[in-house]
Amino acid sequence: MNIRIAPSILSADFSKLGSELKKVENAGADLIHVDVMDGHFVPNITIGPVVVKYMRKATKLDLDVHLMIENPAKYVDAFVKAGSDMITVHIETVTFKELVAIARKLKSKGIKLGISLNPATPLVSIKKTLGIVDFVLIMSVNPGFGGQAFMPQAIDKIRQLRLLFNKDIFVDGGINDITAKIVKDAGANVLVAGSYIFGAKNTKSAINNLRRGET
Ligand code: DX5
Ligand code: ZN
């Protein structure tokens, strides 16, 4: 499967968001990962729809919006309106019924739906959703902050999911040149990376390392 790289804007310098977006766009990023946190589902607060709206104007890349918030069903419309191209919700925050309604809404607007699960949440909890989502985002850190260490338990989850799911598998948290190779081997094909990309001296080689580093 072709490998795509999604820089996580959480690790960017927010005082110059527009040029940070251009920097990763020019360095070959495939999409922009946007971490939305509410201080309830995770112990941190980040950005909301108003920022997504202006990011939409500042890049031509798809915006992959990762909702780490309670009651995402209530906020999906606002993130759709702001210009999201993909929206991921956490299985820990929705009922199946809510997810079906979100899936229907996003489909009618041509927006992709992802389901995510925390490191402590077993794969079986998302099995029922695999038929209605476009992709799965496997968390390889406890959500809340950039710059944490990769949790190796994610590897088995990716491997097992790949056996039963042939669409995109995203992996998010602690991705660098070493862990990238491991998760690609396990079957992930979209790599989210924040600190590794935005902390790099050479953004282009950082992205290339993640994408092409030998597998
Ligand atoms: C964690 C976020 C991640 C994070 C990744 O809660 O969902 O997207 O920004 O950052 P790194 O790559 O630094 O682990
Ligand atoms: Zn994320």
Side-chain angles (χ1 to χ4, degrees):
M1 258 175 135
N2 96 358
I3 305 293
R4 282 181 287 151
I5 307 299
S8 164
I9 205 68
L10 188 60
S11 293
D13 179 342
F14 277 58
S15 71
K16 46 175 184 173
L17 205 43
S19 63
E20 293 282 75
L21 287 167
K22 279 293 161 223
K23 179 172 87 177
V24 291
E25 188 174 323
N26 293 337
D30 297 284
L31 30 127
I32 300 293
H33 185 83
V34 185
D35 286 310
V36 175
M37 305 185 186
D38 68 349
H40 291 275
F41 178 61
V42 290
N44 193 8
I45 302 177
T46 56
I47 65 174
V50 64
V51 178
V52 174
K53 179 176 137 192
Y54 286 99
M55 288 177 67
R56 177 65 292 156
K57 295 184 184 183
T59 178
K60 52 180 191 294
L61 296 179
D62 280 355
L63 298 178
D64 156 37
V65 175
H66 180 191
L67 297 182
M68 288 161 278
I69 62 176
E70 276 174 14
N71 201 0
K74 188 173 163 192
Y75 297 97
V76 161
D77 281 340
F79 285 99
V80 166
K81 204 165 160 228
S84 310
D85 300 283
M86 308 169 190
I87 293 181
T88 297
V89 299
H90 269 257
I91 191 68
E92 298 88 358
T93 62
V94 277
T95 63
F96 188 68
K97 204 174 152 202
E98 284 170 335
L99 194 70
V100 170
I102 294 173
R104 199 168 293 143
K105 181 178 291 173
L106 295 188
K107 195 163 197 174
S108 75
K109 302 191 182 293
I111 296 169
K112 300 255 183 265
L113 170 64
I115 190 80
S116 184
L117 70 173
N118 283 343
T121 305
L123 202 51
V124 64
S125 69
I126 63 160
K127 264 209 176 137
K128 208 172 149 190
T129 74
L130 296 180
I132 61 168
V133 298
D134 298 294
F135 62 94
V136 175
L137 182 148
I138 302 272
M139 287 308 302
S140 42
V141 296
N142 283 315
F145 301 92
Q148 304 181 76
F150 178 80
M151 296 169 74
Q153 302 93 298
I155 302 164
D156 253 356
K157 242 184 207 174
I158 296 167
R159 219 176 265 139
Q160 281 170 30
L161 177 62
R162 187 44 90 206
L163 298 174
L164 39 113
F165 189 67
N166 61 13
K167 300 186 198 166
D168 293 329
I169 300 180
F170 290 44
V171 58
D172 184 8
I175 297 300
N176 55 36
D177 47 350
I178 296 158
T179 54
K181 174 179 161 23
I182 301 171
V183 298
K184 285 187 287 182
D185 284 347
N189 67 304
V190 183
L191 310 190
V192 175
S195 48
Y196 179 74
I197 293 175
F198 284 98
K201 278 208 184 82
N202 185 326
T203 314
K204 196 170 191 162
S205 13
I207 290 177
N208 277 342
N209 289 345
L210 297 181
R211 195 196 309 280
R212 306 220 175 83
E214 42 160 326
T215 56

